[in-house]
């Protein structure tokens, strides 16, 4: 297994957030409202362009009804 760069890890976390959000038929706006995070920040996180804190990822995971472990599993 090759070691991933930090940028690749954040991009993968973003993809996992998108997948979970779409599985719940949520828009970025809905997720932003539920997690109390600005919509543009959600967009940047999903694109892997921002490095969110653990507390931000926790809020997102909680709003998506997933565990924070699901965002990191296998990384």
């Amino acid at each position: 297994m090759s070691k991933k760069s930090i940028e690749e890890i954040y991009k993968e976390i973003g993809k996992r957030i998108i997948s979970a959000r779409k599985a719940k038929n949520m828009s970025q706006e809905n997720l932003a409202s539920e997690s109390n995070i600005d919509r543009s920040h959600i967009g940047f996180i999903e694109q892997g362009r921002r490095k969110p804190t653990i507390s931000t990822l926790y809020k997102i995971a909680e709003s998506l009804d997933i565990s924070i472990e699901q965002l990191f599993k296998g990384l």
Side-chain angles (χ1 to χ4, degrees):
M1 187 164 122
S2 65
K3 188 173 180 177
K4 292 183 181 172
S5 72
I6 293 297
E7 288 77 22
E8 290 172 316
I9 290 170
Y10 279 110
K11 283 183 182 176
E12 181 59 32
I13 289 170
K15 288 178 189 175
R16 292 176 183 191
I17 292 169
I18 293 168
S19 177
R21 179 173 58 75
K22 288 186 175 180
K24 290 189 59 91
N25 292 316
M26 280 182 111
S27 66
Q28 284 184 346
E29 289 81 7
N30 294 137
L31 179 56
S33 178
E34 288 276 324
S35 60
N36 200 28
I37 298 168
D38 188 80
R39 202 248 4 118
S40 63
H41 191 54
I42 296 282
F44 286 132
I45 291 169
E46 288 185 348
Q47 294 168 22
R49 294 173 56 196
R50 291 272 165 85
K51 295 175 174 62
T53 63
I54 294 296
S55 62
T56 296
L57 290 174
Y58 180 81
K59 288 179 192 177
I60 291 170
E62 194 172 61
S63 297
L64 293 170
D65 295 322
I66 61 173
S67 68
I68 197 165
E69 291 86 359
Q70 287 176 269
L71 295 177
F72 288 95
K73 190 171 184 166
L75 298 177

